Amino acid sequence: MTVAGRYDLVVVGAGHAGCEAALAAARMGLDVAVATLDARKVAEMPCNPAIGGIGKGHLVVEIDALGGVQGWAADRAGIQFRTLNLSRGPAVRGPRAQCDKARYTVLMRRLLGGVPRIDLVEGEVVDLLAGDGAVEGVVLAGGTRIAARAVVVTTGTFLRGLLHTGSDRREGGRYGEPPAGRLSAALERLGLALRRYKTGTPPRLHRDSLDYGAMERQEGDPDPRPFSWRTGRVVNREPCWITRTPPAVAAVIRDNLDRSPLFSGVIEGTGPRYCPSIEDKVVRFPHHEEHTLFVEPETLGGESMYVNGLSTSLPEDVQDAILRRVPGLERARVLRYGYAVEYDVLAPGQLERDLAVHGVPGLWVAGQVVGTSGYEEAAAQGLVAGINAVLRLRGEAPWVPGRHEGYIGVLVDDLVHREHTEPYRMFTSRSEHRLLLGTDSARERLMETGVRFGLVPERVFHVEHRRWAARREARERLESERAGADPEARRALRERLGVEPGRPVTWADLVRRQDVPLDAVIALAPPLTALPPEDREIVAYRTRYAGYLERARRDSERLRRLAHVAVPEGFDPRGVPGLSREVVEQLRRYRPRTLGEAERIPGMTPAAMAILAAAVGRAGEGAA
């Protein structure tokens, strides 16, 4: 075999997980090789070229707060910026950017190429070098070996990938690219269990063949905000469009379900429940007469439009029949038909808390190979895996983000401790701390950790720290300064807020009043007008919802205390009276190390937790 070189770390795959892992590790001082099938396709967006959304946008700003790069690239490649969930409270609003996929790839490839410690290596990884019970590098097709002290596998949908369009089935990791077939066998030889998942993509349509007059125009935010602290300003460059499938589309799909690889049994993998194909939606929601489609550009001014919501693996002639019935798409020219891809993932229960593979020293995994969906989930895992590979090689303790610290902590904890039988997607509802984990607080929660790892410059942290101090000062002024202290001020309250205070009130009192428009108070209150627009909103919302936030902090603290109560080694739940058979089986299966981990096991009820906590307490007293 040819020896290509020796590195501290080899990252297998140059997708969103691989890029974050490699960049973090290199910036923390490791020499990194990134092995990829095609160096031109770094950080490809084979599905919708959008970054962020509900839950996902929270991950992006947390990645950025830690020093990751996904938000930076999305800001610079963005075509349209929108905040989702605007009708809800600020904690669950999700920033989203429709991106130029070609521009995004160019930016990420330049980033990798601009780091002297990173070498981009083209080739298929077909095996893992293992000696003395630890992974020591990789083997490329043709026999070339790359030695390393650690390996991070981020193979996306390429492990034994199969592409499906109707009866047409071919091997591939994504359209036009070969799979990584032999690496699955290498993982199995290490004793790892794999399972099959499935995802899909819609047809791409030529921009000039669509009737935009028959669709609803969707603009970006009037004052768009960037993801990254590195970005001063972003702008909207193009609109997106909305249309809906009429009942005739459902009829076409029902008439052709026998030709669907999804429903004929050809596809064995489990697909994502929260991003189903159009045929899956028609079957699962038979009473829905319409399904919303979002027609979005794939590149700035380019010819390809992505039909978000029309993911399908139906035959090409059926896809044509569907398009002819959708308003605005009747004369669409198809650039690429939709398809589904089946691929291997690691079965749950094989990861350590730092995303290392249990029982295989030197091996980490991140991204879709772990069983997640989405660029954002992949990037977050890649960052965690890259950081922890460095820490392990330094002999330092792993970094395990807590659930109370951010959605990255929720993601990692769920992947390690919870069963998932379908591709995992992040939602704000997955966090018991979500009121405290809004995008507005990500830097306050995580940036100091990014500084500690050398991924965020200290000068940036100091600038942000001054902003946080100014917010606290403004909050204190809102609570202490009287509104309407003189006749002129009272006149302004009457005219601009419709308020005639009958007693002395502070600006905080007015902020909390639900019958007073918050925007009007923000524009009038001196403690807020001195701040930048984004900080004004943050302070105002934190003041208005202070009671809810305080209660959430108390609940969070209770859960954190619970999380640190250890379950004694060898604890057998079968001897605990009052626990159901299901709960006992789940406890024996997951073997929680703390009561906090036990509380998150599927099927665990508050009553069962009370019984378990008492039993663990008695066991601890006996051991003492």
Side-chain angles (χ1 to χ4, degrees):
M1 290 185 180
T2 303
V3 178
R6 183 175 296 276
Y7 295 84
D8 295 309
L9 177 69
V10 173
V11 177
V12 182
H16 301 274
C19 286
E20 296 287 356
L23 286 164
R27 290 163 64 197
M28 291 175 71
L30 297 194
D31 292 325
V32 181
V34 180
T36 179
L37 291 169
D38 188 342
R40 297 168 301 174
K41 296 184 178 293
V42 166
E44 271 279 280
M45 292 181 164
C47 203
N48 193 357
I51 296 294
I54 300 169
K56 292 172 174 284
H58 293 72
L59 286 174
V60 178
V61 296
E62 290 179 0
I63 291 166
D64 187 74
L66 288 163
V69 297
Q70 186 173 67
W72 171 89
D75 286 341
R76 281 149 185 79
I79 295 174
Q80 185 192 88
F81 297 84
R82 294 180 63 241
T83 301
L84 309 186
N85 249 359
L86 272 175
S87 62
R88 306 282 300 280
V92 295
R93 293 174 183 173
R96 179 185 187 270
Q98 185 72 18
C99 294
D100 182 322
K101 63 187 296 183
R103 170 74 171 156
Y104 190 96
T105 292
V106 167
L107 288 166
M108 295 298 283
R109 192 167 61 236
R110 287 177 182 169
L111 268 182
L112 289 180
V115 178
R117 288 183 174 274
I118 295 177
D119 287 339
L120 201 57
V121 179
E122 277 195 329
E124 178 190 353
V125 173
V126 298
D127 204 354
L128 298 171
L129 295 171
D132 297 328
V135 171
E136 298 177 347
V138 302
V139 181
L140 303 182
T144 299
R145 295 183 299 170
I146 304 176
R149 300 163 64 198
V151 173
V152 179
V153 173
T154 68
T155 45
T157 60
F158 280 77
L159 291 185
R160 282 199 287 243
L162 280 178
L163 309 182
H164 300 266
T165 303
S167 60
D168 179 50
R169 184 172 72 166
R170 63 188 68 185
E171 293 184 345
R174 55 191 176 214
Y175 183 84
E177 296 182 65
R182 287 178 277 181
L183 188 55
S184 284
L187 294 171
E188 289 175 323
R189 283 195 297 274
L190 291 173
L192 303 181
L194 306 180
R195 61 170 53 163
R196 297 289 276 177
Y197 276 176
K198 165 259 175 188
T199 190
T201 189
R204 269 63 158 191
L205 310 178
H206 197 290
R207 175 192 295 265
D208 295 341
S209 67
L210 306 184
D211 179 6
Y212 298 98
M215 296 187 283
E216 176 186 339
R217 186 182 178 104
Q218 185 184 49
E219 299 287 358
D221 290 343
D223 181 24
R225 304 276 174 83
F227 287 109
S228 179
W229 49 263
R230 303 170 178 91
T231 307
R233 181 171 173 267
V234 293
V235 295
N236 291 309
R237 303 176 188 277
E238 282 191 26
C240 297
W241 305 86
I242 299 174
T243 185
R244 292 167 180 83
T245 63
V249 165
V252 169
I253 291 171
R254 291 190 187 100
D255 289 343
N256 289 278
L257 282 178
D258 61 323
R259 302 177 64 195
S260 164
L262 182 62
F263 287 95
S264 63
V266 174
I267 292 178
E268 299 175 356
T270 304
R273 183 192 322 176
Y274 301 106
C275 190
S277 65
I278 187 65
E279 54 265 39
D280 203 15
K281 286 189 279 191
V282 166
V283 170
R284 285 170 50 191
F285 309 108
H287 302 300
H288 286 209
E289 292 295 317
E290 295 183 340
H291 295 281
T292 303
L293 307 179
F294 300 87
V295 182
E296 301 168 322
E298 290 206 295
T299 56
L300 183 61
E303 63 180 17
S304 181
M305 300 293 283
Y306 184 97
V307 191
N308 188 2
L310 199 63
S311 173
T312 183
S313 57
L314 286 163
E316 293 180 1
D317 63 297
V318 180
Q319 295 187 40
D320 286 331
I322 290 171
L323 293 169
R324 286 196 298 271
R325 289 161 172 80
V326 178
L329 311 184
E330 298 93 339
R331 296 178 178 81
R333 179 151 54 93
V334 178
L335 297 173
R336 182 195 302 171
Y337 286 97
Y339 65 91
V341 55
E342 266 188 293
Y343 54 98
D344 288 343
V345 302
L346 264 69
Q350 302 178 91
L351 297 181
E352 301 287 354
R353 296 184 303 153
D354 61 351
L355 297 185
V357 176
H358 180 70
V360 186
L363 181 62
W364 281 259
V365 286
Q368 283 179 280
V369 68
V370 178
T372 60
S373 68
Y375 313 135
E376 303 84 359
E377 291 88 345
Q381 294 169 70
L383 185 62
V384 173
I387 289 171
N388 278 305
V390 176
L391 297 177
R392 182 76 65 92
L393 294 181
R394 289 177 179 172
E396 299 178 16
W399 174 60
V400 182
R403 296 178 70 91
H404 65 285
E405 291 181 276
Y407 285 94
I408 293 179
V410 174
L411 171 67
V412 172
D413 189 68
D414 281 354
L415 293 176
V416 172
H417 295 117
R418 290 192 175 185
E419 173 77 14
H420 52 91
T421 57
E422 62 188 37
Y424 178 102
R425 176 176 178 170
M426 179 53 67
F427 293 103
T428 55
S429 59
R430 293 193 186 274
S431 173
E432 62 274 33
H433 308 284
R434 59 184 172 274
L435 287 183
L436 305 177
L437 302 182
T439 56
D440 61 294
S441 65
R443 297 176 195 173
E444 292 168 87
R445 289 182 275 113
L446 295 168
M447 186 171 273
E448 190 170 3
T449 300
V451 173
R452 176 159 58 91
F453 293 141
L455 302 177
V456 175
E458 286 195 21
R459 57 176 176 77
V460 172
F461 177 73
H462 293 318
V463 169
E464 289 292 328
H465 201 274
R466 287 195 291 272
R467 285 186 65 187
W468 308 335
R471 291 177 193 167
R472 289 192 296 271
E473 181 182 347
R475 176 78 183 278
E476 292 168 0
R477 289 182 59 196
L478 284 176
E479 297 287 355
S480 62
E481 291 186 13
R482 181 180 170 188
D486 55 66
E488 182 64 24
R490 284 193 291 275
R491 184 178 65 80
L493 293 181
R494 283 195 303 271
E495 294 179 356
R496 299 175 64 178
L497 302 182
V499 171
E500 181 69 68
R503 60 178 177 80
V505 295
T506 65
W507 286 109
D509 293 328
L510 294 178
V511 166
R512 295 190 185 102
R513 283 183 56 166
Q514 299 297 318
D515 61 335
V516 176
L518 187 57
D519 290 346
V521 183
I522 292 174
L524 196 59
L528 295 177
T529 55
L531 297 174
E534 182 179 2
D535 290 341
R536 293 175 202 168
E537 293 177 11
I538 291 172
V539 173
Y541 278 113
R542 290 182 185 178
T543 302
R544 171 165 279 197
Y545 297 108
Y548 296 99
L549 294 172
E550 181 56 35
R551 185 169 64 189
R553 287 189 188 93
R554 290 197 301 267
D555 291 343
S556 177
E557 185 57 36
R558 179 186 63 82
L559 290 174
R560 289 170 64 183
R561 288 196 301 268
L562 193 66
H564 292 93
V565 176
V567 175
E569 185 127 6
F571 177 81
D572 189 348
R574 290 176 295 185
V576 179
L579 290 180
S580 69
R581 181 180 299 176
E582 177 193 2
V583 168
V584 168
E585 289 176 354
Q586 292 290 73
L587 287 169
R588 295 187 69 205
R589 178 181 183 186
Y590 286 97
R591 302 184 306 279
R593 288 173 291 188
T594 66
L595 288 179
E597 290 180 8
E599 188 177 45
R600 297 189 293 276
I601 290 176
M604 185 62 68
T605 65
M609 274 304 301
I611 294 170
L612 180 64
V616 166
R618 289 192 298 271
E621 291 170 3

